[in-house]
Amino acid sequence: MAAVFCAFLLFTCLVKTLCSSDADSVRFNATFSDTNRTWFDWEGSLNVTERPEGENGTLAPFSMPAAAPAEPSPAFPEEEAPEPTARPDLARVATAALPLPLSGALPLPVTRASDLCPCNVQSEQCDVNCCCDPDCSQEQALFTHCSVKKVTGDYKLCSQDAALYTLSTTPEGLSQVRTSFQQEFNPDVFCIQSANYEQGMSFVTPSTPTEQNFDYLFGHFVGFFFGSSSVTGSALETPVQGNSPGYLYGDIIQTEEEAGQRGFFRLPASAGTANCLDTNPAAFLKDQTSRCMRSFALAEDCTTLEALKLRTYTSFRIFSGKDTEANLVAMWVEAVTLQSLEGTQTLLETAADSAFEPEFLQPADVCNQVVLQVKYTVRYGEAGQIVRVAVSFVLGAVNSAMLPIQQEFQIAFVQEAKSDTMLRSSGNPGYVVGLPLVAGWRTAEGIIQSSNPEGSLTVLQSSADQDCLFSFPQRSPVLFGKDVVSGCTFRLEDGANCSLVSEAILGRLKGQSFPDYVASFGNSLPQNTMDWVPIGNQTTITGTQGCNIPLSYHLEVRWTKYGTLVNPQAQIVSVVEIIRFNTSTLSSLSTGGTIVPVTSSVSFIDVSASASPGFRVPPTINAKLPFDFFFPFV
Amino acid sequence: MAFYEVYSHPALIRYRSSVCTRATLFVLIVFGLTYIPPLLIAYRSQGFWLKRSTYEEQPVVQFQYQMLMIGATGTAGEFVAWSTFPNFNRLLGNNLRIPSVSVREEDSNQDGKSDRLSLQLAVPLKAGEQIYSIQLLLIFSYQLFRMSTVVMQSLAFIQHSSSVPGSQLFISGDLTLHQRTPLPHRGLHTAYNVSVVDGASPFASAYDLTNIIRAYQERNLTTHLSCPAPVWIVGRAVNAPFQINAEIRYPVESVSYRPGFWEVIKFAWIQYISVLLVFLWLFNRIQTFVFQNQNISQ
């Protein structure tokens, strides 16, 4: 038994000896570059490998090159210069390049602990507290401690050389370095007794780069580095794919600027921050909406900043296709809407082809006709040809309190030669989560729908001033499957006309044009009135006396899943609006002029029964094994 | 004269019976009771089939020398930014501010795997500019080899903001792995070996941090920088650049995986056999008792 164990130990030692020979060359392909790279920046590679266990600086001298190239001889007097003939492959080819140390060959590694002094970094000068520095003779008296106390050989050897440096104090009170060399023994059972393969204790000799093998070495050792990305600045030039004269999906639209040079269609957008990045290209067939922030100095930049001018967004012409003989398509200003300081918008007759330059009104400190919204509608024909580009603007007045402004840019692609009235359905057939509810008004011949793509069923959007009565109403569409809540406040003045206030608040909650029918499917046709669900009303007026003011408006949409289990379609079953009025009298509501909050909310309730199998099974004895009883087999 | 045992051997007693007897039935019942209940006991006491296990491995992490930096230089939305992606730099226009960056990856234990990354980034600032917040995106190549080979590109996202302008941000943390579902026990996984940031795209949406992080967090395997104590140094001289000092270590990760078929069988067998031994002993005694006392006719 003991013999077997001894044989095992012997075998382990042997294996360790052998394996250490190429321990440095066996590693994953992806990582070898690091180890080898240390050879090339070895001016600084005399770094002591401080092993964390033990306070002494323990060296692994086998793993480091012998000398700093600056001073090969004084630190290593015993080292002979290696004969160049022994390593012809190391002779440098390009002598004009950075010289290798010792005239063309790599120095031999130093393995003797007594010759190593990692803290000796200044040539011919004493390094403070470096007890092994041979340049220090007088200065040793001033040392307070030794920065390197111990230098040892390879820690894997069973018996290793160790040089110990200690400071002692002379009777005069001065320091004195004591150097002692000794053999240290490794307590590890699996230490190396004798290394029969000396080269295995050091890194493999790197092959010197020459003109012939440089590409191979570069490809073999290179990892990641700065500037390695092959992405160049030519991404803006759309590569010609195939013979298609028109644009493909995602292509950058080529333009001709006012001065005649080629450019690309820009649609400012934000990335990383909210600021507008003006050079963002627009891509063919990618509908985009971007809102970004533009900060500028009102007086200085009002008339000079290009991004505020309408001309910036219309002055270029678009190439209808990618090829060189493509036609040029000019911008067609479809509509211009002017927005006042308060936010009221007026649509201008576009026939008046005025310039719409921003103008700075000195006394009022207002910059007028600033571009706030740009909407491009690009019509494309077959084979990706751009036929027509229409653009509509919102120009607004901006004062210093409104800075920085938000600009909105939108681009939409519409196929030419189709019907102009583009009806977007909110699902096919069932509603899709996130698309607006389809609503309309019932007439004798069917349902009338609004052409607004955002849907006609809207919900109040909370505004900054929170005023139900006097603020500019902002509304957002009711999106299927998304429960929302918002609100506003009002303050009842004494002597206010109750019915007028009630009417105003109800109008604010429901919106100007409140539909009375909702499509049960996302693509219900207006002529099929049976597909439409009336909006019910569950208004309860509790207080009969006095005045009733709506305090909350709730829209409850019940929907169910319809169809197969794998592809359920959402179908709206019923829509009920629930308006809650004040229960107490108006006087208590407005005591002391308190602010009364009014909320508006929408909730979607899934009323479909949970999925059940579509076939009847005869009753069976339910005595079966758990589903994962034979887990790895089935 | 004392006696001692010279030799002993067990005597074999054979009980014979025909097929259709009560003895046969008894033997069959005992056989079933011996071998099936241990299976039920081992299963019902949970953990019979090993479904998830973990192993430890230090990943091979390499900094890809790709980064994206955004710093807010004012309280009104002014910013400077830079990245290693030329298309993003082109988008930035006047807000581009090229910092000086120094990077070093260290392999402290010489095992061929990098252990830490030290990164210094100095953003030069004009007079009047101050840094209020900094966002830094670093892209790494992350590889696991022990069970299934995983090669992916991953992110470390550093984000810090302060109401007081600073001169330096010091980050010292670990790049830790997060996984939502365990890895398979073998095979090659390169589904996430795609660029986290599409540097070839000229569009601003490709560099929007919201889009990048949203797409990244959808992945099963992600890394993030766990840095509990970022240090924000307040106060900066006018000419001095803003500095980011980051020390990111690549620690040993414990990776969870789904064990393979034979590993599952091995652990199930251990559990089954240990319960079966008790049953074998018990029913052996019962059988011996029954047949010795001739309780059943053979």
Side-chain angles (χ1 to χ4, degrees), chain B residues 10-37:
Chain B
L12 187 69
I13 305 171
R14 294 180 190 275
Y15 300 91
R16 290 178 183 280
S17 165
S18 60
V19 177
C20 297
T21 54
R22 285 198 293 168
T24 312
L25 187 68
F26 172 73
V27 168
L28 282 177
I29 288 172
V30 164
F31 184 83
L33 285 177
T34 312
Y35 287 96
I36 292 174

Side-chain angles (χ1 to χ4, degrees), chain A residues 59-394:
Chain A
L59 288 178
F62 79 98
S63 68
M64 62 182 65
E71 40 147 22
S73 45
F76 308 99
E78 294 98 352
E79 247 3 279
E80 288 190 350
E83 56 279 10
T85 52
R87 295 181 183 176
D89 56 324
L90 290 183
R92 282 180 301 117
V93 175
T95 46
L98 278 177
L100 288 171
L102 295 183
S103 68
L106 296 167
L108 286 177
V110 175
T111 51
R112 284 175 54 182
S114 56
D115 296 338
L116 279 166
C117 187
C119 56
N120 180 14
V121 289
Q122 301 183 49
S123 89
E124 318 237 340
Q125 274 197 24
C126 178
D127 292 274
V128 177
N129 284 342
C130 182
C131 298
C132 52
D133 191 350
D135 302 322
C136 300
S137 51
Q138 304 292 321
E139 295 88 343
Q140 286 182 354
L142 308 174
F143 286 2
T144 55
H145 66 281
C146 284
S147 58
V148 172
K149 296 189 177 97
K150 182 180 174 186
V151 183
T152 58
D154 188 2
Y155 65 94
K156 284 186 278 191
L157 290 171
C158 292
S159 151
Q160 48 195 281
D161 294 329
L164 294 173
Y165 301 98
T166 50
L167 274 187
S168 61
T169 314
T170 55
E172 294 85 48
L174 298 172
S175 299
Q176 191 180 16
V177 172
R178 283 204 182 155
T179 310
S180 61
F181 300 103
Q182 64 183 53
Q183 292 278 313
E184 285 205 341
F185 294 100
N186 195 342
D188 193 356
V189 178
F190 301 110
C191 58
I192 300 175
Q193 188 64 44
S194 68
N196 53 359
Y197 183 61
E198 283 291 340
Q199 291 158 9
M201 310 289 279
S202 61
F203 285 108
V204 288
T205 312
S207 52
T208 314
T210 61
E211 283 178 11
Q212 283 80 34
N213 68 355
F214 181 79
D215 286 340
Y216 164 74
L217 285 178
F218 186 78
H220 196 236
F221 289 107
V222 76
F224 300 102
F225 55 91
F226 280 124
S228 62
S229 60
S230 55
V231 180
T232 54
S234 64
L236 285 174
E237 291 163 16
T238 309
V240 178
Q241 292 170 342
N243 296 322
S244 164
Y247 294 105
L248 301 178
Y249 174 83
D251 280 350
I252 290 164
I253 300 168
Q254 308 288 323
T255 61
E256 190 187 64
E257 304 292 321
E258 218 172 358
Q261 75 272 29
R262 280 180 88 100
F264 55 90
F265 198 143
R266 299 171 182 198
L267 190 80
S270 62
T273 62
N275 294 56
C276 288
L277 303 176
D278 287 328
T279 50
N280 178 46
F284 187 62
L285 290 186
K286 271 190 189 172
D287 290 1
Q288 292 181 59
T289 303
S290 63
R291 291 180 187 85
C292 55
M293 184 192 88
R294 180 91 57 186
S295 57
F296 59 96
L298 196 68
E300 292 83 21
D301 294 338
C302 177
T303 51
T304 54
L305 193 64
E306 291 293 320
L308 305 181
K309 295 178 184 173
L310 184 142
R311 279 190 70 249
T312 313
Y313 304 100
T314 54
S315 61
F316 52 90
R317 292 189 295 170
I318 287 178
F319 283 99
S320 64
K322 276 188 298 189
D323 50 355
T324 48
E325 60 264 18
N327 300 326
L328 282 167
V329 181
M331 293 281 163
W332 175 53
V333 179
E334 196 176 37
V336 174
T337 308
L338 288 184
Q339 183 178 319
S340 72
L341 273 178
E342 291 78 33
T344 51
Q345 296 188 337
T346 46
L347 185 66
L348 286 192
E349 296 295 326
T350 51
D353 200 21
S354 59
F356 295 116
E357 285 286 310
E359 50 187 0
F360 186 61
L361 307 175
Q362 187 67 44
D365 202 28
V366 165
C367 187
N368 211 353
Q369 295 184 359
V370 169
V371 171
L372 294 180
Q373 191 186 58
V374 184
K375 279 188 178 175
Y376 294 103
T377 308
V378 181
R379 293 183 182 270
Y380 63 95
E382 288 162 8
Q385 303 280 352
I386 290 177
V387 181
R388 206 145 51 97
V389 182
V391 55
S392 62
F393 287 93
V394 173

Side-chain angles (χ1 to χ4, degrees), chain A residues 390-403:
Chain A
V391 55
S392 62
F393 287 93
V394 173
L395 305 178
V398 172
N399 63 13
S400 56
M402 298 162 77
L403 289 180

Side-chain angles (χ1 to χ4, degrees), chain A residues 453-464:
Chain A
E454 299 225 302
S456 48
L457 196 63
T458 53
V459 69
L460 179 79
Q461 203 176 356
S462 299
S463 61

